[in-house]
Amino acid sequence: MINLIWSLNLHPRPNITRSQLVAILPLVVAHTMGNLLTNISLGKVAVSFTHTIKAMEPFFTVVLSSLFLGETPTFAVVSSLVPIVGGVALASMTEVSFNWIGFATAMASNLTNQSRNVLSKKLMVNEEETLDNINLYSLITIISFILLVPFTIFLEGVKFTPSYLQSAACQGLNVRELCVRSVLAAFCFHAYQQVSYGILQMVSPVSHSVGNCVKRVVVIASSVIFFQIPLSPLNTLGTGVALLGVFLYSRVKQIKPKPQTKAA
């Protein structure tokens, strides 16, 4: 998809310098590990439980933004994040199926994904190393693909051979449906990440994480609708609390700190 965009001149191809490549590599590692850890968690526990844990992203963002960007959040901002995280957790409590591997990998993905977001924001404001959001994410994706190919071939390469697919088809696997769904999933995932990076360039990492919290509420609600899972009052209450937290956060962020007057 990226090469198609560049080949059709839908977006200018970047001219990468050595210093830019060095600056991007930590983002690539964080991006690759974040997605890998998330998928491991999804394979071990329920979707709702993974997204419950990943609702902790704003806290990681506040800490990392403070360390790398020098941003000091106010008490009001930190307080407004509590109902968001608590609400999302409450909304998915009835679906939780605890597993230590799933828990640990989801928590680790929080750290890696938010490290990527904060480092990306730092790169975007560095005029010497700056890249627009589309090219930045495109380069991260391409290098991440190159990093994962050897591991994919080593771990599951045999599953892509014609003989293995034919054997799996004889056992009831619909290979065509698998391929179509894989392509659709890849397209939707790339589109989501591209939009996410576009938003990240316009807002702070904390605001970006708050949006992700709302996204998790939508994911949980969508899974309830798609899989026809009854929605309990507890789920409804959790969703409401999370959305209330988002509203409070938006109000708090609009309040400008009063300038400190120097003592005579």
Side-chain angles (χ1 to χ4, degrees):
M1 290 177 62
I2 294 168
N3 280 293
L4 185 64
I5 291 173
W6 285 343
S7 299
L8 296 177
N9 292 323
L10 298 177
H11 194 79
R13 189 189 302 267
N15 295 318
I16 305 301
T17 64
R18 183 184 295 272
S19 61
Q20 285 178 325
L21 185 60
V22 171
I24 291 172
L25 284 178
L27 277 66
V28 173
V29 174
H31 173 81
T32 304
M33 292 302 300
N35 285 289
L36 184 61
L37 291 166
T38 299
N39 279 285
I40 293 174
S41 179
L42 289 171
K44 293 294 182 180
V45 297
V47 174
S48 59
F49 185 49
T50 297
H51 282 274
T52 299
I53 302 168
K54 288 181 72 63
M56 296 293 295
E57 282 184 347
F59 290 102
F60 285 90
T61 304
V62 168
V63 174
L64 293 172
S65 294
S66 177
L67 292 175
F68 294 102
L69 302 181
E71 298 179 1
T72 303
T74 63
F75 176 78
V77 169
V78 175
S79 299
S80 68
L81 299 178
V82 175
I84 298 173
V85 177
V88 175
L90 186 62
S92 56
M93 276 180 59
T94 56
E95 299 183 63
V96 169
S97 55
F98 188 83
N99 177 284
W100 276 112
I101 297 177
F103 175 83
T105 51
M107 192 63 73
S109 72
N110 284 338
L111 179 61
T112 53
N113 280 331
Q114 296 318 298
S115 297
R116 179 203 63 184
N117 287 351
V118 172
L119 292 174
S120 296
K121 190 72 176 181
K122 187 176 182 180
L123 185 67
M124 288 175 184
V125 298
N126 187 342
E127 294 183 0
E128 295 180 358
E129 311 296 344
T130 188
L131 287 167
D132 65 82
N133 64 303
I134 294 179
N135 282 331
L136 177 59
Y137 177 67
S138 297
L139 290 170
I140 290 175
T141 302
I142 292 173
I143 302 174
S144 179
F145 168 77
I146 295 172
L147 290 177
L148 283 176
V149 165
F151 295 99
T152 304
I153 294 175
F154 177 75
L155 295 173
E156 294 186 303
V158 66
K159 295 184 180 180
F160 294 97
T161 59
S163 58
Y164 187 93
L165 292 175
Q166 186 176 2
S167 174
C170 294
Q171 297 177 12
L173 175 66
N174 189 329
V175 178
R176 182 176 181 180
E177 183 180 8
L178 175 64
C179 294
V180 170
R181 290 190 177 187
S182 296
V183 171
L184 288 175
F187 176 82
C188 291
F189 180 75
H190 180 78
Y192 154 70
Q193 292 280 17
Q194 195 71 77
V195 171
S196 178
Y197 254 71
I199 295 174
L200 179 61
Q201 195 171 24
M202 296 182 289
V203 301
S204 71
V206 177
S207 299
H208 189 266
S209 290
V210 171
N212 273 334
C213 279
V214 179
K215 176 198 71 178
R216 306 208 187 287
V217 176
V218 174
V219 169
I220 294 171
S222 300
S223 66
V224 169
I225 296 172
F226 184 81
F227 296 109
Q228 297 294 308
I229 301 173
L231 190 63
S232 69
L234 194 61
N235 294 121
T236 306
L237 177 62
T239 303
V241 170
L243 294 178
L244 176 62
V246 175
F247 173 76
L248 292 175
Y249 173 80
S250 64
R251 297 294 295 176
V252 168
K253 291 295 287 184
Q254 290 177 1
I255 301 175
K256 296 182 179 180
K258 295 181 179 180
Q260 296 181 352
T261 57
K262 295 183 179 179

